[in-house]
Amino acid sequence: MSIVLASASPRRRELMQMLGVRDLVILPAVGEEKAGRALPPDELVKALAAHKAREVAEKCEKDDIIVAADTIVWHDGQVYGKPHTEADARRMLRGLSGDTHAVYTGVCVLRGGQELLAAERSAVRFRTLTDAEIAAYIATGEPMDKAGAYGIQGRGSLFVEGIEGDFFNVVGLPLCRLGLMLKELGVTLL
Amino acid sequence: MSIVLASASPRRRELMQMLGVRDLVILPAVGEEKAGRALPPDELVKALAAHKAREVAEKCEKDDIIVAADTIVWHDGQVYGKPHTEADARRMLRGLSGDTHAVYTGVCVLRGGQELLAAERSAVRFRTLTDAEIAAYIATGEPMDKAGAYGIQGRGSLFVEGIEGDFFNVVGLPLCRLGLMLKELGVTLL
């Protein structure tokens, strides 16, 4: 039996290792994300996570446990994905400045015929940023591969006054929830 | 000019490095912690942080910037420090189980004649733990060098349903606040 992480995210891999998971197999889903963008955010991330988990499950052994997740930043009724350009990142960071947004992560855990699916929400409060701070942050390169154009576990921490909810959900994997889901499928991390 | 971290905590050192601080000097305070335990928690951590910063400042250059911090876990009107024994850790974790506690970090930043002092509070909500989970967690060794007998940035994350406030304040250094204090003394991290 292996735990298979259906994600290419180095941050999710590090979180699984932080939990002491041994024999972790990394097998990212490659299919297009097909969930309808019209769904509410919690339904959207659940649909995307389930899609990834089911795709990867087809390449795995029957007893393997597949973990998939999808994270979005949600602000003013819009999904903030990964920025395509620096101008994109600047626009997102200006939008988040001085305001509270939500981060949703959907998690799907599959084993044999069993499928568990959940979504977790965290609120993140940004302090007011100056254009100079936004420019300096973009120059570090940190925003470019991250939903919402910031990393809370990096220099983006300097912008975050506080959160409400699971911190690791903002990083990309709600660990407390994931631990309970794995337990339900017979895997004890503690 | 150097930034001098007046702390032996490997977690605080990692956080400063995460912020991209170069030329970080580690010079832990060695004096006894003398603040009165009868103080309210925010005053207590400020007094302890100021005490450390002033002690270390005496060994530094006039232009150096000294950063000191002190973190306590506060539950039911009591300070939870680092556990002395495994029985101690078990008692603390049973106390935190299924309840919300507060974590206070005091920060003192000194440069020349200027001294900035602040305390930050975060609330941490634990899910209900079984004795078997507590025993398994203690067996990992993680609780023994940490206030309140858990590490939120380790396997202790499996116990934390959510927080309210700055996550890094719970780890030991409120980064958003610290960034603003450093800026006030002329050091720009972003």
Side-chain angles (χ1 to χ4, degrees):
Chain A
M1 184 269 287
S2 304
I3 294 188
V4 179
L5 180 63
S7 170
S9 156
R11 291 172 290 282
R12 291 199 182 104
R13 188 183 61 230
E14 284 165 21
L15 291 179
M16 295 296 280
Q17 288 163 345
M18 187 182 95
L19 295 182
V21 173
R22 290 177 212 175
D23 305 320
L24 182 69
V25 176
I26 311 287
L27 197 58
V30 292
E32 277 295 298
E33 298 184 353
K34 279 176 192 156
R37 290 273 151 180
L39 290 172
D42 54 338
E43 293 301 322
L44 175 61
V45 293
K46 281 201 282 187
L48 291 168
H51 189 82
K52 291 180 186 175
R54 289 170 201 155
E55 180 202 308
V56 168
E58 289 178 18
K59 303 172 195 159
C60 294
E61 304 291 322
K62 200 177 174 346
D63 196 39
D64 287 344
I65 293 168
I66 294 99
V67 175
D70 196 89
T71 300
I72 61 166
V73 167
W74 181 260
H75 181 245
D76 270 347
Q78 281 194 305
V79 174
Y80 282 27
K82 295 176 187 174
H84 296 295
T85 62
E86 294 195 351
D88 226 15
R90 189 160 46 244
R91 186 184 54 75
M92 289 185 198
L93 291 165
R94 279 183 182 159
L96 302 178
S97 169
D99 204 355
T100 297
H101 61 272
V103 177
Y104 289 87
T105 296
V107 183
C108 184
V109 184
L110 280 184
R111 182 180 214 175
Q114 288 181 280
E115 175 176 311
L116 302 178
L117 191 54
E120 185 99 8
R121 177 189 190 279
S122 304
V124 180
R125 194 173 63 253
F126 263 44
R127 67 172 172 81
T128 301
L129 311 179
T130 65
D131 279 350
E133 286 172 326
I134 290 174
Y137 184 48
I138 290 172
T140 67
E142 190 177 288
M144 300 312 292
D145 67 333
K146 297 182 182 73
Y150 75 95
I152 196 170
Q153 72 298 336
R155 291 163 83 164
S157 59
L158 292 166
F159 297 161
V160 177
E161 283 181 348
I163 72 164
E164 207 178 312
D166 184 336
F167 171 81
F168 297 104
N169 189 52
V170 184
V171 180
L173 212 47
L175 298 183
C176 184
R177 174 79 71 121
L178 176 63
L180 294 172
M181 291 167 89
L182 288 171
K183 197 171 205 172
E184 208 174 321
L185 296 185
V187 179
T188 305
L189 296 180
L190 269 182
Chain B
M1 184 270 288
S2 303
I3 294 188
V4 178
L5 180 62
S7 169
S9 156
R11 291 173 290 282
R12 291 199 183 106
R13 188 183 60 229
E14 284 165 21
L15 291 180
M16 294 296 279
Q17 288 163 345
M18 187 182 95
L19 295 182
V21 173
R22 292 177 210 173
D23 305 320
L24 183 69
V25 176
I26 311 287
L27 197 59
V30 293
E32 278 294 298
E33 299 184 352
K34 279 177 193 155
R37 290 274 152 180
L39 290 172
D42 54 338
E43 294 301 322
L44 174 61
V45 292
K46 282 200 282 188
L48 291 168
H51 189 82
K52 292 180 186 177
R54 290 171 200 154
E55 181 202 307
V56 168
E58 290 178 15
K59 303 173 196 160
C60 295
E61 304 292 321
K62 200 176 173 344
D63 195 40
D64 286 344
I65 292 168
I66 294 99
V67 175
D70 197 88
T71 300
I72 61 166
V73 167
W74 180 260
H75 183 245
D76 271 347
Q78 282 195 305
V79 174
Y80 282 28
K82 294 176 186 174
H84 296 293
T85 62
E86 295 196 349
D88 226 15
R90 190 159 46 244
R91 185 185 53 76
M92 288 186 197
L93 290 166
R94 280 182 180 157
L96 302 179
S97 169
D99 205 355
T100 297
H101 62 273
V103 177
Y104 289 87
T105 295
V107 183
C108 184
V109 183
L110 279 185
R111 182 180 213 176
Q114 288 181 281
E115 175 175 311
L116 301 179
L117 192 54
E120 184 99 8
R121 177 189 190 278
S122 303
V124 180
R125 192 173 65 252
F126 262 45
R127 67 172 173 81
T128 301
L129 311 179
T130 65
D131 280 351
E133 286 172 324
I134 290 173
Y137 183 48
I138 290 171
T140 67
E142 190 175 287
M144 299 313 292
D145 66 333
K146 297 181 181 73
Y150 75 97
I152 196 170
Q153 72 299 338
R155 290 163 85 163
S157 59
L158 292 165
F159 297 161
V160 177
E161 283 181 348
I163 72 164
E164 208 178 311
D166 184 335
F167 171 81
F168 298 103
N169 189 53
V170 183
V171 179
L173 212 47
L175 298 184
C176 185
R177 174 79 70 123
L178 175 63
L180 294 173
M181 293 167 88
L182 287 172
K183 197 171 203 171
E184 208 174 322
L185 296 185
V187 180
T188 306
L189 295 180
L190 269 184

